[in-house]
Amino acid sequence: MYLSSNNRASKLFAIACLFAMSVSVFAQSDDSRQKGKGKHQRPQFFELDLNGDGQVLLAEFKQRPVHRVSHEQIFRHIDANGDGAISEQEFVEHKPPPRPKRD
């Protein structure tokens, strides 16, 4: 099929616009993810379970930064049964203590 140069140019322009819009949407979604990074977001269990065995040991837990208190203190608080490992159930059911209000 033979396309006139005007028709070809129109199709190329449409494709270029679609490409530009998709790049723009991708960049905006990436920016919105980056905005939340400055806040202290709770990691997902699989992000802490580095070896994928279904539990998080203190050594794995220490691979993530924590704020305000020690890794050990947080780990003990989450490890409800005190067996030295955080199960996914313990992690999901854990409710962080309320943060002190700022003046």
Side-chain angles (χ1 to χ4, degrees):
M1 178 176 166
Y2 177 78
L3 297 174
S4 69
S5 62
N6 194 20
N7 195 11
R8 239 182 293 160
S10 295
K11 287 187 178 189
L12 283 174
F13 179 76
I15 290 171
C17 288
L18 287 172
F19 178 77
M21 288 184 341
S22 64
V23 168
S24 175
V25 168
F26 178 78
Q28 287 175 355
S29 66
D30 192 43
D31 286 345
S32 65
R33 282 192 298 258
Q34 294 295 330
K35 287 179 185 174
K37 297 241 182 204
K39 298 177 183 175
H40 307 299
Q41 292 183 324
R42 183 176 181 173
Q44 298 294 314
F45 183 79
F46 71 88
E47 294 173 321
L48 296 171
D49 183 14
L50 300 178
N51 62 5
D53 65 353
Q55 61 183 4
V56 177
L57 301 177
L58 181 58
E60 292 172 296
F61 192 73
K62 284 184 172 183
Q63 300 302 309
R64 298 283 301 211
V66 296
H67 306 279
R68 297 191 180 102
V69 294
S70 70
H71 284 91
E72 292 82 0
Q73 194 174 7
I74 297 171
F75 189 88
R76 283 193 308 268
H77 195 265
I78 300 172
D79 183 17
N81 64 5
D83 68 350
I86 298 172
S87 68
E88 187 168 7
Q89 181 177 355
E90 288 173 316
F91 183 78
V92 170
E93 292 176 357
H94 172 257
K95 303 291 185 239
R99 292 184 181 167
K101 294 183 180 182
R102 294 182 183 179
D103 293 330

